[in-house]
């Protein structure tokens, strides 16, 4: 929720969280002036693998947005 608040307030995006699609769950969708960001949020000690990046790219492509990978 902290990242969502930062994107909302500081960058001026409208956000939606945790949405299920045909390609899987999306952690955060942020939109502003025709630009759409599809975010995957990894926390703790999770590893970011090639598979993670490929899945995010596929989700963003289906949703017609730009992929964004976040790790605190």
């Amino acid at each position: 929720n902290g990242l969502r608040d930062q994107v909302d307030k500081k960058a001026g995006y409208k956000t939606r969280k945790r949405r299920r699609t045909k390609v899987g769950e999306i952690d955060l969708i942020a939109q502003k002036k025709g630009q759409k960001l599809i975010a995957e949020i990894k926390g703790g000690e999770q590893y970011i693998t090639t598979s993670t990046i490929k899945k995010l790219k596929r989700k963003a492509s289906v949703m017609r947005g730009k992929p964004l990978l976040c790790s605190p």
Side-chain angles (χ1 to χ4, degrees), residues 14-66:
K14 291 185 180 183
T15 60
R16 292 181 283 166
K17 63 179 184 175
R18 296 219 172 109
R19 183 168 176 203
R20 286 223 173 258
T21 68
K22 63 182 178 181
V23 291
E25 183 179 86
I26 296 172
D27 293 334
L28 182 70
I29 301 171
Q31 291 181 285
K32 177 173 93 172
K33 297 181 183 177
Q35 182 181 35
K36 186 188 292 185
L37 302 175
I38 307 300
E40 178 73 24
I41 301 168
K42 296 291 182 187
E45 296 196 18
Q46 295 179 353
Y47 292 101
I48 297 170
T49 63
T50 303
S51 175
T52 303
I53 294 167
K54 287 179 180 178
K55 287 177 186 175
L56 175 59
K57 187 175 178 185
R58 186 173 57 237
K59 290 176 189 178
S61 176
V62 168
M63 295 294 293
R64 295 194 169 128
K66 294 181 179 182

